[in-house]
């Protein structure tokens, strides 16, 4: 066969290979966990804002860590974004989070450590947010890493930061941060949390069951953090099964869990979080600094885990 006759075939093969490579590149371009990073912007409040403020200070943009994202914080975010080659929109999304986080470890003493301590306390660590990375913080970091499938080296690097802020796990739950029933059940069992249902089952499509299929990792971690912070025995009576009210932040979408009403849990919620009004159905609401909402539905606490 002459070279002239072979060229069209070679060109076709090369073109096919190029298209395949380009498609693979497009499919792999977006970071697997990019969508998990929370959007924090002007008007936001809570622990994620406090974390951003500590990290801004750690990066040289001194910001008061008051948990309120106002014009001052927005200005510091824009300055940081501009200096980092990012779009200076003042919104802390995946790209800004990934540039803003700082690696901290035992022996460090700075605002980056304060940010890490703030996040660890979301999971019931009970640390003083003093910026000193000592034995206590090291122990809590290692415990968190172990429970999230991460290398328990005590170093708060990119993977640990992502798990802390997003509630994602190092190996389970997928990029969406959603768990299977068995994954959530294992996490709850390890934390001493029980669950029950009238039907004694876990079928998500039956309202008589208590299921954790499709539960957000952040919601599961929030329940574990509640167990640690309250010291109360927790029994989950409602998960992601059908039969609950619909909506974006619903049981079905993995944001809510129901907990059996006990005096210990009631005293903890009402004594720790400020009363924030009544829901349309008359349930009294208490809102945590993290944004999580506790609704007293009489027979149980309906908890919405937003962070």
């Amino acid at each position: 066969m002459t070279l002239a006759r072979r060229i069209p075939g070679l060109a076709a093969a090369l073109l096919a290979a190029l298209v395949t490579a380009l498609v693979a590149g497009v499919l792999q371009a977006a970071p697997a966990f990019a969508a998990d990073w929370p959007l924090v912007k002007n008007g936001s409040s809570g622990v994620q804002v406090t974390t951003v403020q500590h990290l801004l200070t750690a990066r040289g943009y001194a910001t008061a860590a008051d948990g309120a994202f106002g014009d001052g914080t927005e200005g510091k975010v824009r300055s940081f974004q501009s200096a980092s080659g990012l779009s200076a929109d003042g919104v802390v999304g995946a790209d800004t989070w990934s540039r803003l986080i700082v690696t901290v470890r035992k022996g460090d003493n700075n605002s980056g450590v304060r940010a890490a301590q703030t996040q660890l306390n979301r999971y019931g660590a009970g640390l003083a947010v003093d910026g000193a990375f000592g034995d206590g913080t090291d122990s809590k970091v290692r415990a968190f890493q172990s429970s999230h499938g991460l290398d328990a080296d005590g170093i708060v690097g990119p993977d640990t930061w992502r798990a802390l802020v997003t509630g994602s796990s190092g190996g389970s739950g997928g990029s969406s941060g959603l768990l299977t029933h068995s994954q959530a059940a294992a996490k709850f069992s390890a934390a001493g949390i029980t669950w029950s249902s009238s039907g004694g089952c876990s079928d998500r499509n039956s309202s008589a069951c208590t299921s954790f299929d499709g539960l957000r990792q952040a919601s599961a971690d929030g329940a574990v953090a509640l167990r640690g912070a309250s010291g109360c025995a927790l029994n989950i009576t409602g998960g992601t099964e059908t039969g609950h009210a619909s909506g974006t932040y619903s049981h079905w979408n993995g944001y809510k869990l129901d907990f059996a009403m006990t005096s210990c849990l009631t005293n903890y919620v009402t004594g720790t979080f400020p009363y924030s009004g009544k829901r349309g159905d008359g349930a009294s609401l208490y809102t945590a600094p993290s944004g999580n909402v506790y609704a007293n539905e009489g027979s149980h606490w309906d908890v919405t885990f937003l962070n």
Side-chain angles (χ1 to χ4, degrees), residues 39 45 50 100 140 204 206 212 246 259 289 295:
L39 283 178
S45 62
T50 304
L100 193 57
K140 296 298 183 180
R204 193 181 190 195
S206 171
F212 303 134
S246 61
F259 295 89

Side-chain angles (χ1 to χ4, degrees), residues 89-101:
D89 58 5
V91 178
V92 182
D95 289 341
T96 301
W97 273 111
S98 63
R99 298 287 188 90
L100 193 57
I101 57 176

Side-chain angles (χ1 to χ4, degrees), residues 196-201 207-210:
S196 60
S197 65
S198 59
C201 49
S207 60
C209 302
T210 294

Side-chain angles (χ1 to χ4, degrees), residues 165-181:
V165 176
T166 69
S168 61
S169 185
S172 61
S175 63
S176 64
L178 301 182
L179 302 175
T180 64
H181 179 83

